[in-house]
Amino acid sequence: MNAALTLRERSEAEASRLPPLLARAEHLAGTVLLGDHGRRRSGLGDDFWQYRPAQIGDSRRMIDHRRSARGDQQFVREREWQIAQSVMLWVDQGASMRFASDKNLVSKADRARLLGLATAILLVRGGERVGLTGTTLPPRRGNAQIIRLAEALSQDLETDYAPPEHRAMIPHARAVFISDFLGPMDEVELALTKAADRGVRGVLLQVLDPGEETFPYRGRTIFESVGGSVRHETLKAGELRERYLERLAKRKDALTQLCRATGWQLGLHHTGDSAQAALLWLYRALDGGTR
């Protein structure tokens, strides 16, 4: 009886977290004006994209006779590419993401989940299939999929750093990875390398707290990981600042080089900045990656 009651309490607690996340993501997605969705490539669709010279293999019915009548060359009227793509999402749910340096700031996890779910909402509204990396939630369309994503993204992991999921990558799909990327770098390298080998291109968004960029700590300070696995006490925190900032700069450079080598795009977002601006960048980066 107690076990059943505990399970019910946990389920109710999780359910109580879901509506606010979903509502906020819906609101954030609604602030981004997309207009008619289109991936700006020629293919199957109803909207005009461009004229191109007729080629061997084009059928006569593809030729636009009005445009061709202006000269001696025949032209084909191409349509905008609107075939649904599969987009795979990974949002870091490790304990390190629950850090916030100030009570007036949201945690990195809160912002990452919000951006991840809002991106999924925009993509699904545009006809895309969206799911999670791995095998737990394959890409699908529809509002039911958004609810499944919201439920999955509302979970926390106890480990300090969660490695990117790289199983079951769909060949030639798109992907979005959102994390602070402060954990072991070899896991990130493995994930992006495997993705690139399967023709997967995507966007990597690093989410950091402003305090992680400035290291404002002085004097006696106790540094402890959110998950509790690491603890360090010092009387002269200010002396660590230069070494810390140097290591952070090296990590950012490593991410830049990795994205360059694998054809991914890299973005940086601070939890003190506008979530709307970050969402717009994410969506445009994904859109640009399909051209």
Side-chain angles (χ1 to χ4, degrees), residues 9-236:
E9 290 173 345
R10 288 172 54 194
S11 299
E12 290 176 348
E14 290 297 333
S16 68
R17 296 170 57 190
L18 178 58
L21 172 62
L22 186 55
R24 289 189 299 124
E26 289 275 8
H27 177 74
L28 178 59
T31 65
V32 178
L33 301 178
L34 299 178
D36 290 334
H37 178 76
R39 286 302 198 176
R40 309 307 297 168
R41 285 176 58 184
S42 61
L44 299 179
D46 296 327
D47 296 334
F48 170 72
W49 168 228
Q50 65 181 1
Y51 290 111
R52 66 165 174 80
Q55 302 170 351
I56 296 176
D58 291 335
S59 65
R60 294 186 62 85
R61 64 182 179 182
M62 294 175 63
I63 295 174
D64 187 287
H65 296 286
R66 180 175 298 181
R67 174 64 180 85
S68 301
R70 301 177 188 174
D72 298 328
Q73 191 173 13
Q74 292 184 320
F75 286 87
V76 168
R77 182 185 179 92
E78 289 191 319
R79 305 290 183 177
E80 188 175 1
W81 186 73
Q82 294 180 320
I83 303 174
Q85 289 279 295
S86 291
V87 182
M88 296 172 292
L89 181 66
W90 176 73
V91 177
D92 189 344
Q93 293 166 287
S96 73
M97 295 294 289
R98 300 198 288 274
F99 173 74
S101 62
D102 188 281
K103 64 180 181 180
N104 295 318
L105 291 170
V106 299
S107 68
K108 293 182 290 183
D110 182 275
R111 182 56 56 84
R113 288 166 174 163
L114 178 63
L115 290 174
L117 187 57
T119 300
I121 290 171
L122 291 179
L123 291 169
V124 167
R125 285 179 179 173
E128 313 283 13
R129 295 183 296 267
V130 184
L132 297 179
T133 54
T135 59
T136 58
L137 190 58
R140 296 188 181 95
R141 302 185 185 93
N143 291 331
Q145 181 74 344
I146 293 299
I147 295 175
R148 296 186 196 103
L149 286 167
E151 291 173 343
L153 294 179
S154 296
Q155 307 299 316
D156 286 328
L157 297 179
E158 295 306 316
T159 55
D160 279 324
Y161 300 105
E165 175 63 79
H166 51 72
R167 293 174 299 167
M169 284 282 186
I170 301 174
H172 308 295
R174 302 294 164 190
V176 179
F177 284 10
I178 306 177
S179 171
D180 57 12
F181 296 104
L182 298 180
M185 190 63 189
D186 57 343
E187 296 286 354
V188 184
E189 292 174 354
L190 175 62
L192 263 67
T193 300
K194 289 187 70 173
D197 288 344
R198 298 182 70 84
V200 176
R201 295 292 181 268
V203 179
L204 187 154
L205 181 66
Q206 185 177 32
V207 177
L208 294 176
D209 183 278
E212 292 174 322
E213 289 278 25
T214 60
F215 199 83
Y217 310 105
R218 299 289 185 272
R220 181 177 181 273
T221 306
I222 298 176
F223 297 100
E224 185 173 11
S225 63
V226 178
S229 63
V230 178
R231 189 177 189 275
H232 177 72
E233 182 175 354
T234 179
L235 297 176
K236 300 179 180 179

Side-chain angles (χ1 to χ4, degrees), residues 268-285:
L268 174 63
H269 173 67
H270 298 122
T271 55
D273 294 340
S274 164
Q276 181 180 359
L279 176 61
L280 188 58
W281 180 88
L282 267 172
Y283 191 84
R284 287 177 174 172

